[in-house]
């Protein structure tokens, strides 16, 4: 690197170009729910049925998905839309479906906390045996006995259930540091495919997806708990809801008193996402932090729980984190339409998607 003496350029100050200055000058953009695009969707919904059922409409939908995601995951394989259900002429999901990896803040949710964000001073690649990497120390603070980073040398999750603290834009390490996985985006091919009885879902492509692989972010609108409650009441009446409370265990404190007093602050509403629930899921949700110091606002990162076979549907449990053990899980149906029967068809099916 170049260094300059103070007297080399009399009368001029030398500004050091650091990650912190980069963050100050070019802070990550904040996306707001009020700005979710809808003009194309509105236009397509005015089109004649025969056009919306055409190959051109499907190709346009795939192009829109690419446009929405190419900046976040430029190396991700393109997503194809497939409907091979006999007699079903629908070629795309509903045009209200907005495939995105972004979190869209409601006006009542604060923007990402960058003022308290801290980055490591590592050069090159972060060392999982480092004694000085602040990101590694942060990860180990929350992952108990797990040595090194939470990812292995292939970028796969070593242990699910723990919050993930990735290196961020303030860090000195390289972009392909092993502790940058979610922020680099999906690496495996997936398809949006129509099912015979559950609508549209997300499926693996032609290659097996190994256990611990990152699949995508459960994206949508980030709402306050009060906003989520209001929407939940409405959604329950017509049988659709994709509200996910950000209530991970690590947010609740270390003792019973903290846990009893703790309240959920934020909710993700991914109403326009696909129907991919299963009582025996092959994916699981992990809290993940990148350019966000507010622990109450993690990304919801989906990782495979086991090897996923080619063309297999990618599913997680709408009831929350699933253990590998059978649990006594009583179900109460209060009559709302959202309590429709589960159709996942697995051996462990409980018969319902929501408690």
């Amino acid at each position: 690197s170049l260094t300059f003496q103070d007297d080399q350029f009399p009368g001029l100050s030398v500004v050091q170009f650091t990650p912190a200055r980069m963050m100050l000058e070019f802070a990550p953009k904040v996306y707001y729910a009020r700005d979710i695009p809808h003009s194309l969707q509105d236009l397509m919904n005015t089109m004649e049925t025969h056009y919306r059922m055409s190959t051109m409409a499907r190709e346009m939908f795939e192009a829109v998905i690419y446009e929405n995601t190419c900046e976040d995951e430029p190396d991700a394989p393109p997503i194809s839309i497939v409907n091979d259900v006999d007699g079903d002429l629908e070629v795309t999901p509903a045009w209200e479906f907005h495939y995105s990896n972004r979190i869209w803040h409601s006006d009542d949710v604060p923007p990402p906390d960058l003022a308290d964000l801290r980055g490591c001073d590592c050069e090159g690649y972060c060392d999982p045996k480092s004694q000085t990497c602040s990101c590694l120390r942060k990860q180990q603070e929350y992952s108990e006995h797990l040595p090194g980073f939470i990812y292995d040398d292939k970028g796969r999750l070593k242990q699910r259930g723990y919050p993930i603290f990735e290196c961020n834009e303030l860090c000195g390490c390289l972009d392909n540091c092993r502790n940058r996985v979610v922020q680099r985006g999906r690496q495996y091919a997936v398809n949006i495919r129509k099912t015979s009885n559950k609508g549209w879902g997300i499926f693996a492509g032609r290659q097996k997806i190994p256990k611990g692989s990152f699949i995508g972010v459960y994206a949508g609108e980030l709402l306050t708990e009060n906003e989520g409650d209001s929407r939940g009441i409405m959604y329950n009446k017509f049988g659709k809801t994709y509200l996910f409370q950000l209530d991970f265990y690590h947010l609740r404190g270390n003792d019973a008193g903290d846990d009893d007093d703790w309240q959920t602050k934020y909710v993700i509403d991914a109403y326009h996402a696909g129907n991919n629930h299963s009582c025996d899921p092959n994916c699981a949700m992990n809290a993940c932090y990148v350019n966000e110091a507010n622990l109450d606002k993690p990304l919801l990162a989906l990782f495979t729980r086991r090897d996923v076979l080619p063309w297999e549907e990618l599913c997680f449990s709408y009831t929350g984190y699933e253990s590998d053990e059978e649990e006594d899980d009583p179900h109460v149906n209060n009559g709302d339409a959202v309590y429709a029967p589960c159709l996942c068809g697995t051996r462990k099916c409980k018969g319902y998607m929501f408690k």
Side-chain angles (χ1 to χ4, degrees), residues 95-250:
W95 278 89
E96 288 78 12
F97 179 98
H98 181 78
Y99 194 102
S100 172
N101 296 318
R102 293 168 177 162
I103 300 301
W104 303 83
H105 292 62
S106 84
D107 289 338
D108 293 331
V109 174
D113 179 3
L114 303 181
D116 296 316
L117 189 66
R118 298 293 179 266
C120 67
D121 296 324
C122 301
E123 296 182 359
Y125 304 99
C126 293
D127 184 349
K129 297 181 180 179
S130 171
Q131 300 298 313
T132 59
C133 177
S134 59
C135 296
L136 179 58
R137 289 201 302 268
K138 184 75 170 179
Q139 183 64 66
Q140 293 179 333
E141 178 184 346
Y142 284 86
S143 54
E144 300 174 347
H145 63 280
L146 196 67
F149 289 108
I150 201 163
Y151 300 123
D152 65 18
D153 58 2
K154 295 181 179 179
R156 297 170 188 166
L157 196 67
K158 294 193 291 188
Q159 180 70 50
R160 59 189 172 87
Y162 294 121
I164 300 167
F165 295 90
E166 292 200 355
C167 293
N168 58 64
E169 292 193 20
L170 288 181
C171 295
C173 57
L174 296 174
D175 289 344
N176 54 349
C177 167
R178 69 183 297 168
N179 196 39
R180 298 179 186 267
V181 172
V182 169
Q183 62 196 270
R184 290 206 302 264
R186 175 177 53 85
Q187 303 297 311
Y188 293 93
V190 299
N191 299 316
I192 298 174
R193 183 179 293 270
K194 186 70 179 290
T195 67
S196 60
N197 61 347
K198 296 191 302 176
W200 294 87
I202 307 294
F203 287 73
R206 64 177 64 254
Q207 293 182 328
K208 181 181 76 172
I209 303 178
K211 177 182 177 180
S213 298
F214 172 63
I215 295 301
V217 173
Y218 190 73
E221 295 180 67
L222 182 59
L223 311 174
T224 64
E225 175 71 359
N226 288 338
E227 290 174 309
D229 287 343
S230 298
R231 290 199 187 181
I233 293 172
M234 176 181 65
Y235 290 165
N236 288 355
K237 298 307 176 185
F238 59 88
K240 294 282 188 180
T241 186
Y242 300 99
L243 295 171
F244 195 103
Q245 290 184 319
L246 303 185
D247 59 354
F248 292 93
Y249 80 93
H250 67 278

Side-chain angles (χ1 to χ4, degrees), residues 297-317:
K297 295 168 55 188
L299 295 172
L300 301 180
L302 281 166
F303 290 83
T304 52
R305 301 173 78 227
R306 57 171 174 79
D307 289 349
V308 177
L309 299 177
W311 315 119
E312 185 178 354
E313 186 174 10
L314 297 164
C315 304
F316 68 99
S317 173

Side-chain angles (χ1 to χ4, degrees), residues 17-25 169-171:
F17 205 56
T18 64
R21 178 165 291 277
M22 282 282 289
M23 179 74 81
L24 180 64
E25 297 289 343
E169 292 193 20
L170 288 181
C171 295

